Amino acid sequence: MLSWLGITKGEEEGRPFFGDVSKRAVTLVLLTSLILMNVVKSLFLYLIPKIYLEDVLVAVLPGIVGLLVALVYILVLERILHDQAESRGHADEI
């Protein structure tokens, strides 16, 4: 009935996001991504002249770039942490 929304009763596919990673590491990654986002936004606000920031499209550019950098940072670190947790799991089996 709700399959058009992507809600199905089927088995879960793929791996969970931040699966097998401690909550402390997840919290640290998310907090550092917020810091990174604010640093990138501040850097762009510093580099773009004030006269250009009066334009609506240019004014949102620092926030969007900061958000995209933080998103890529989260995705890359999640993958690295997941691979490390997986390799530790395989090392324990040997």
Side-chain angles (χ1 to χ4, degrees):
M1 180 172 154
L2 295 175
S3 62
W4 58 278
L5 286 175
I7 301 172
T8 60
K9 291 184 179 181
E11 294 182 21
E12 186 175 320
E13 296 178 9
R15 61 179 178 82
F17 195 65
F18 280 115
D20 299 331
V21 179
S22 68
K23 290 183 180 182
R24 184 177 182 197
V26 172
T27 304
L28 187 62
V29 168
L30 294 177
L31 286 176
T32 55
S33 71
L34 283 174
I35 292 169
L36 180 67
M37 182 177 67
N38 285 328
V39 166
V40 170
K41 181 181 175 185
S42 299
L43 179 68
F44 267 79
L45 286 174
Y46 176 75
L47 292 176
I48 297 174
K50 297 288 183 190
I51 193 74
Y52 292 127
L53 290 175
E54 292 177 3
D55 184 25
V56 177
L57 292 176
V58 177
V60 297
L61 182 67
I64 291 174
V65 171
L67 184 67
L68 291 175
V69 168
L71 180 63
V72 169
Y73 174 78
I74 289 172
L75 292 174
V76 168
L77 243 56
E78 186 271 337
R79 188 68 202 175
I80 291 171
L81 289 173
H82 180 73
D83 289 344
Q84 286 179 354
E86 215 173 63
S87 67
R88 278 193 309 256
H90 291 303
D92 292 340
E93 292 175 358
I94 294 176

